Amino acid sequence: MNISVLMSVYIKEKSLCLEESLNSIVNQTAFPNEIVIVKDGPLTEELELVLDSFIERFPSLFNIIKLDKNYGLGYALSVGLKYCSNEIIARMDSDDISAPDRFKEQYQLMIDKEFDIVGTNIEEFNKYPGDLSIFRRLPEKGSDIINFSKFRNPFNHPSVMFRKTIAINSGNYNANYLLFEDWHLFVRMIQNGAKTYNLQKNLLYFRVSDKIDVIKRRSGIKYLISEFKFSLFLLTSKHINFFEWFFYIIAKLPLRILPPSLIKVIYYKIARQ
């Protein structure tokens, strides 16, 4: 099937997680014909061994791109996207697990309904799928997705399948919006007329090995500055009006300086329900 899987790997990933992630790709009921992996800087010997084992099994499947140092996810994906040979791109993180029918169901929608972005709901897990029973469900289609995108990311990034052409024409991933590169890209694609849809199925298992680490990535001064910059993009691009922007600022930015333990309660007890 003409699908390019786009993945970035960096030194802090665990080799077992990468192996499980790649296994979930090569065991899809709809087999992709290309996996583009960006090595975001030098990797550990264990990670290299995992990659080598899969390349040995599927020598024509993998396209490996090497970066000289760790630039971050947004930059790595922007490079990798250019090397994808297919029009339809399936995103995948190096520690997540795709359900066996994920690619088949998303690809069929992309072709039959001519969607430009198709995401899915996700289930978060710690050691194995099903051990947390925490889900992220998103609006299904149309204006609901657009309205949601004003204040929250309208897609579960590792679950998306999208068309390369409109992503490139919308500016590709932009590393200048650190930690918001995916949301930034999705908004620009929507502004360029992308036809969007979220499958109301949990077709991706999202690994959350340490909840506090996840929360820390969504808090602190660095994240606050990035989010403020992103909010200005939403305002200046007219994706939100001034009153919506003001609400965004007072509702969301103060959360970034709260203690991670308190944010954890908000994130897992409220935001994920």
Side-chain angles (χ1 to χ4, degrees), residues 40 67 70-80 82 157 170-185 188 222 225-227 229-230:
D40 191 11
L67 302 183
N70 177 233
Y71 287 92
L73 180 64
Y75 181 84
L77 293 180
S78 72
V79 173
K82 297 174 184 177
H157 183 209
S170 298
N172 203 339
Y173 289 95
N174 188 332
N176 291 324
Y177 289 88
L178 183 65
L179 304 174
F180 289 85
E181 299 97 338
D182 54 331
W183 189 355
H184 182 253
L185 175 60
R188 284 179 287 129
K222 184 177 180 180
I225 293 172
S226 292
E227 186 158 24
K229 180 180 179 181
F230 176 71

Side-chain angles (χ1 to χ4, degrees), residues 85-241:
S85 60
N86 292 309
E87 171 65 5
I88 294 182
I89 313 298
R91 269 286 291 121
M92 185 78 185
D93 278 348
S94 56
D95 59 349
D96 296 335
I97 298 174
S98 284
D101 289 335
R102 179 197 157 193
F103 291 176
K104 178 182 179 180
E105 295 205 32
Q106 287 180 278
Y107 185 84
Q108 204 64 49
L109 278 170
M110 297 280 289
I111 299 301
D112 293 347
K113 303 295 185 180
E114 298 184 343
F115 288 120
D116 298 301
I117 311 174
V118 174
T120 80
N121 292 333
I122 64 174
E123 179 177 353
E124 297 183 357
F125 75 100
N126 187 3
K127 295 181 179 180
Y128 56 87
D131 63 358
L132 293 179
S133 295
I134 296 175
F135 306 90
R136 187 169 191 247
R137 301 182 177 97
L138 295 174
E140 184 176 5
K141 56 187 176 181
S143 60
D144 291 335
I145 289 178
I146 295 174
N147 291 331
F148 193 89
S149 71
K150 294 180 178 183
F151 300 103
R152 294 180 67 185
N153 195 329
F155 298 99
N156 291 309
H157 183 209
S159 80
V160 297
M161 190 174 283
F162 61 86
R163 296 186 185 275
K164 176 181 178 179
T165 299
I166 191 168
I168 294 292
N169 290 342
S170 298
N172 203 339
Y173 289 95
N174 188 332
N176 291 324
Y177 289 88
L178 183 65
L179 304 174
F180 289 85
E181 299 97 338
D182 54 331
W183 189 355
H184 182 253
L185 175 60
F186 298 147
V187 168
R188 284 179 287 129
M189 292 175 72
I190 289 171
Q191 291 173 337
N192 283 343
K195 187 178 178 182
T196 61
Y197 189 80
N198 273 315
L199 259 165
Q200 299 301 293
K201 295 183 179 180
N202 303 312
L203 295 179
L204 183 107
Y205 302 101
F206 183 83
R207 191 183 300 271
V208 186
S209 298
D210 189 324
K211 293 182 181 180
I212 293 296
D213 284 346
V214 172
I215 296 305
K216 284 180 178 178
R217 291 199 296 268
R218 293 171 170 82
S219 61
I221 297 299
K222 184 177 180 180
Y223 192 91
L224 186 149
I225 293 172
S226 292
E227 186 158 24
F228 180 74
K229 180 180 179 181
F230 176 71
S231 75
L232 289 178
F233 155 74
L234 294 175
L235 176 64
T236 56
S237 68
K238 299 182 179 180
H239 195 64
I240 59 177
N241 59 41

Side-chain angles (χ1 to χ4, degrees), residues 4-10 13 18-19 21-23 25-26 34-41 43 47-48 50-55 58 61-67 76-77 79-81 83-84 90-94:
S4 294
V5 181
L6 177 59
M7 175 187 290
S8 172
V9 182
Y10 82 123
E13 298 289 357
L18 176 61
E19 183 176 5
S21 181
L22 290 174
N23 271 326
I25 297 174
V26 299
E34 181 179 56
I35 301 176
V36 176
I37 294 183
V38 182
K39 294 182 180 180
D40 191 11
L43 304 179
L47 289 170
E48 292 285 6
V50 170
L51 290 176
D52 288 344
S53 68
F54 277 89
I55 294 171
F58 306 96
L61 184 61
F62 286 86
N63 184 2
I64 307 297
I65 313 301
K66 299 179 182 179
L67 302 183
L77 293 180
V79 173
L81 182 59
Y83 283 90
C84 292
R91 269 286 291 121
M92 185 78 185
D93 278 348
S94 56

